[in-house]
């Protein structure tokens, strides 16, 4: 069970365990804290390699909890297929919005290129690579990330797609040997794995949103329920 303010998330390896935990939580919240589960805001997600699994979980009052294909938790998108495509696309969009807000700085010829590159790493890369240590990246996602990085460099140098300049030439213009985003992401992920392995081991997933790592390690099915609480009416 993971708790952050009024958001509570329960993770289980099967539906029976999830129902048991939910019933226990419902009893404790109502008896000791005088709170109840807000059914309308509570969602259940089955994270699996197979998308055909349906579930029907009810609360004590008989209300069904809605099953969803994805939901947000602490800024990350959790998907039922265990992939990170939606999360990466969202991060790219957010980073592009941030870039365009400071476009006059990133494209300014009066500001030294190295300063603009440092600003790019600090302001844009940090948005793009948020929670990147948990991503599962396939070939399509790698191409998206590389394309976004080149998108930034081309706009910094005011290079239009009609100029027909290849990526290698763009990297030379911004004094880069190779693309940087995927390398940074790889370093972050390796450091995170080393820390987890040294401290608590792989299986103890204490940080919700890292379901893709769980599936990579051989778990075919995870049941997750995101709970919202509300005060009991007096």
């Amino acid at each position: 069970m993971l708790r952050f303010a009024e958001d509570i998330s329960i993770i289980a390896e099967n539906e029976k365990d999830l129902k048991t935990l939910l019933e226990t939580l419902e009893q404790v919240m109502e008896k000791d804290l005088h709170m109840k589960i807000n059914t309308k805001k509570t969602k259940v997600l089955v994270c699996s390699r197979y998308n055909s699994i349906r579930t029907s979980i009810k609360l004590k009052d008989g209300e069904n909890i809605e099953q969803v294909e994805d939901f947000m938790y602490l800024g990350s998108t959790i998907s039922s297929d265990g992939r990170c495509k939606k999360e990466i696309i969202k991060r790219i969009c957010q980073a592009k919005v941030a870039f365009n807000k400071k476009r006059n700085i990133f494209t300014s010829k009066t500001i030294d290129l190295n300063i603009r590159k440092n600003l790019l790493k600090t302001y844009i890369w940090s948005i793009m690579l948020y929670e990147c240590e948990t991503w599962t990246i396939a070939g399509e996602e790698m191409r998206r990330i590389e394309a976004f990085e080149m998108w930034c460099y081309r706009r910094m140098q005011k290079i239009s797609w009609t100029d027909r300049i290849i990526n290698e030439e763009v990297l030379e213009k911004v004094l880069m040997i190779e693309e940087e985003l995927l390398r940074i992401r790889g370093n972050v992920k390796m450091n995170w794995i080393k820390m987890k392995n040294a401290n608590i081991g792989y299986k103890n997933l204490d940080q919700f949103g890292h379901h893709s790592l769980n599936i990579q390690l051989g778990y075919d099915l995870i049941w997750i329920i995101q709970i919202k609480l509300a005060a009991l009416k007096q």
Side-chain angles (χ1 to χ4, degrees):
M1 183 184 298
L2 302 164
R3 292 176 292 176
F4 183 83
E6 77 280 6
D7 291 342
I8 297 178
S9 294
I10 299 175
I11 303 175
E13 293 184 13
N14 56 66
E15 186 175 10
K16 182 181 178 181
D17 289 348
L18 189 68
K19 287 180 177 179
T20 301
L21 288 168
L22 182 62
E23 289 170 1
T24 303
L25 176 67
E26 193 174 15
Q27 292 172 3
V28 171
M29 288 296 173
E30 188 172 334
K31 181 179 178 181
D32 298 340
L33 303 176
H34 306 290
M35 300 186 77
K36 68 174 183 178
I37 294 174
N38 188 328
T39 311
K40 293 181 179 179
K41 294 183 178 180
T42 297
K43 311 295 179 185
V44 62
L45 179 146
V46 182
C47 186
S48 168
R49 297 177 189 271
Y50 318 103
N51 295 324
S52 59
I53 299 174
R54 308 304 299 174
T55 183
S56 177
I57 296 179
K58 296 182 179 181
L59 295 175
K60 187 171 61 176
D61 56 9
E63 291 188 83
N64 267 317
I65 297 175
E66 180 187 358
Q67 182 175 352
V68 296
E69 296 299 316
D70 54 68
F71 56 63
M72 294 283 294
Y73 188 83
L74 301 184
S76 293
T77 302
I78 314 302
S79 300
S80 60
D81 59 2
R83 299 183 182 276
C84 298
K85 180 179 179 180
K86 291 181 181 179
E87 174 69 8
I88 291 172
I89 291 174
K90 182 190 74 174
R91 287 287 152 201
I92 290 173
C93 291
Q94 290 176 342
K96 282 186 175 182
V97 169
F99 183 97
N100 285 326
K101 284 182 179 179
K102 304 294 182 182
R103 190 186 186 96
N104 59 328
I105 296 176
F106 289 119
T107 60
S108 175
K109 296 296 184 181
T110 60
I111 301 176
D112 184 76
L113 177 61
N114 288 324
I115 294 177
R116 286 186 284 147
K117 283 164 58 180
N118 286 333
L119 287 172
L120 188 73
K121 293 176 184 178
T122 304
Y123 184 57
I124 305 302
W125 284 184
S126 59
I127 296 173
M128 172 65 212
L129 296 176
Y130 177 77
E131 293 283 356
C132 68
E133 65 270 25
T134 68
W135 293 350
T136 300
I137 297 184
E140 181 183 352
E141 284 73 49
M142 290 180 67
R143 288 189 291 272
R144 287 182 185 275
I145 294 170
E146 290 171 346
F148 166 71
E149 184 173 357
M150 297 311 301
W151 180 89
C152 293
Y153 293 151
R154 286 177 181 273
R155 275 149 186 77
M156 287 174 68
Q157 292 295 307
K158 296 183 178 180
I159 300 172
S160 171
W161 65 271
T162 58
D163 294 334
R164 297 183 180 276
I165 296 178
I166 62 175
N167 288 344
E168 287 74 14
E169 291 182 41
V170 175
L171 290 171
E172 289 180 7
K173 288 179 179 292
V174 294
L175 307 178
M176 297 292 294
I177 299 175
E178 60 183 0
E179 291 94 335
E180 193 172 44
L181 268 178
L182 285 173
R183 179 177 57 79
I184 293 174
R185 182 261 174 185
N187 291 340
V188 170
K189 180 156 188 169
M190 285 306 299
N191 289 336
W192 181 78
I193 288 175
K194 288 177 182 177
M195 178 188 70
K196 299 285 282 186
N197 204 20
N199 294 334
I200 59 176
Y202 286 128
K203 193 173 180 179
N204 187 359
L205 298 180
D206 62 337
Q207 297 186 53
F208 185 75
H210 303 333
H211 61 292
S212 54
L213 176 63
N214 204 348
I215 287 180
Q216 282 181 308
L217 291 173
Y219 296 92
D220 288 333
L221 186 63
I222 296 180
W223 300 74
I224 306 168
I225 190 164
Q226 185 180 37
I227 299 167
K228 299 285 185 177
L229 299 176
L232 285 171
K233 293 182 180 180
Q234 300 296 324

